[in-house]
Amino acid sequence: AQTVTQSQPEMSVQEAETVTLSCTYDTSESDYYLFWYKQPPSRQMILVIRQEAYKQQNATENRFSVNFQKAAKSFSLKISDSQLGDAAMYFCAYRSAYSGAGSYQLTFGKGTKLSVIP
Amino acid sequence: DAGVTQSPTHLIKTRGQQVTLRCSPISGHKSVSWYQQVLGQGPQFIFQYYEKEERGRGNFPDRFSARQFPNYSSELNVNALLLGDSALYLCASTLAGSGVTQYFGPGTRLLVL
C-alpha cells in the first residue's frame, strides 16, 4: 500500500516571503499522480497543483511550484510571495495510475498547518 | 457552474443512531468518492462510485454503506453510530471513474454524542 508522509505539522512564513512544504511518499509503482490540496478553515479542500509522475518537468501554478524528485520519492511545494490568504492546512496526496482494486482513491498525508505572519 | 454540494453542513447524533449524508457532484461528473477526515488527520478513503456501481471501498466496517443515483448524486449511510465516527465527511467528484483530479465539496461535520 502507498503511504504519504508530511513531516512538518506546522510551518510559518512572513508575508511576501517564500516557504517550502515537504512531502515524501512510498510506492512500488512507476506511474502515478501527486497533488497538493489546500484546506482553509472553511473546510473545503481546494486543489493547488498536480504532478504526473511521467513528466520530468516540475508543475507550476502562478505562485505555487513543486520540486518533484521521483527517485527520492519526494514532492515538495514552494509558495512564493506568500499572502495572508495562503494560511491553511496543506495536504499532499497520491493517486495510482492503476485501479488495482477497481477504484482510484487518493491517499493523503496528515497535513501541514501553514501560518502567514503579517 | 456549481461545484460539489453536500448536505447537511452540520449534524449532531447520539450513539447507536443512523445518519444519511448527501452529495451532488459537479454537473457532468459521473463518479463520486467519499472520505472521512478525523480532526487533525488527512482524509481517509471510504467509497468510490461510478455509474451507480461501487468501484472501491476503503478499510471501513460494514456499518458504512453508500449508493449512487441515476442523476449521479450519492448518499453515504452510517448505522449504529459510534463516538469515533465523529468527523468531517467529504465528497469528491470526477468526470469519469478514471478521472484524475477530484473536486471536493465543503463537507458535512458529524458529531456523535
Side-chain angles (χ1 to χ4, degrees):
Chain A
Q2 294 80 25
T3 58
V4 177
T5 302
Q6 294 180 248
S7 58
Q8 305 154 316
E10 294 188 28
M11 293 279 286
S12 63
V13 62
Q14 291 284 144
E15 197 175 0
E17 296 297 308
T18 296
V19 65
T20 299
L21 308 184
S22 300
C23 172
T24 59
Y25 57 95
D26 187 26
T27 184
S28 58
E29 298 175 337
S30 59
D31 200 9
Y32 47 86
Y33 302 88
L34 295 166
F35 306 83
W36 280 98
Y37 279 91
K38 168 186 176 181
Q39 188 178 41
S42 65
R43 308 180 324 205
Q44 181 129 20
M45 198 77 77
I46 302 165
L47 177 68
V48 175
I49 200 163
R50 155 185 151 179
Q51 174 78 44
E52 289 82 354
Y54 63 84
K55 290 186 178 179
Q56 292 186 342
Q57 187 171 5
N58 289 322
T60 62
E61 286 286 344
N62 300 314
R63 298 182 296 107
F64 300 88
S65 62
V66 299
N67 183 3
F68 173 49
Q69 301 289 329
K70 191 173 184 179
K73 296 179 182 175
S74 171
F75 182 60
S76 61
L77 174 70
K78 185 172 81 171
I79 306 174
S80 303
D81 185 26
S82 297
Q83 301 175 0
L84 295 178
D86 294 333
M89 285 292 291
Y90 285 82
F91 291 95
C92 178
Y94 173 101
R95 175 202 181 278
S96 173
Y98 315 104
S99 64
S103 69
Y104 292 97
Q105 68 259 39
L106 293 173
T107 300
F108 287 86
K110 291 187 176 181
T112 296
K113 183 178 180 181
L114 178 66
S115 301
V116 180
I117 303 166
Chain B
D1 283 342
V4 177
T5 59
Q6 292 185 243
S7 63
T9 55
H10 295 84
L11 205 51
I12 299 175
K13 293 286 188 178
T14 56
R15 281 177 295 175
Q17 285 189 312
Q18 175 264 340
V19 68
T20 298
L21 310 181
R22 296 176 176 82
C23 171
S24 291
I26 292 171
S27 178
H29 284 198
K30 298 182 178 181
S31 179
V32 168
S33 296
W34 287 94
Y35 293 84
Q36 181 196 64
Q37 185 178 17
V38 174
L39 194 64
Q41 301 292 319
Q44 296 287 320
F45 172 74
I46 310 175
F47 286 110
Q48 183 188 21
Y49 274 78
Y50 175 59
E51 291 284 10
K52 295 168 288 181
E53 291 187 2
E54 181 182 305
R55 292 302 182 95
R57 182 186 185 113
N59 188 23
F60 281 82
D62 291 343
R63 299 185 295 108
F64 288 76
S65 63
R67 55 179 175 168
Q68 187 177 34
F69 298 98
N71 66 353
Y72 304 109
S73 66
S74 177
E75 286 183 352
L76 174 69
N77 295 285
V78 187
N79 294 321
L81 285 167
L82 302 174
L83 296 180
D85 295 331
S86 296
L88 179 67
Y89 289 85
L90 295 166
C91 173
S93 75
T94 53
L95 194 58
S98 58
V100 175
T101 298
Q102 297 192 16
Y103 298 91
F104 285 83
T108 293
R109 174 74 68 190
L110 172 64
L111 178 61
V112 182
L113 301 176

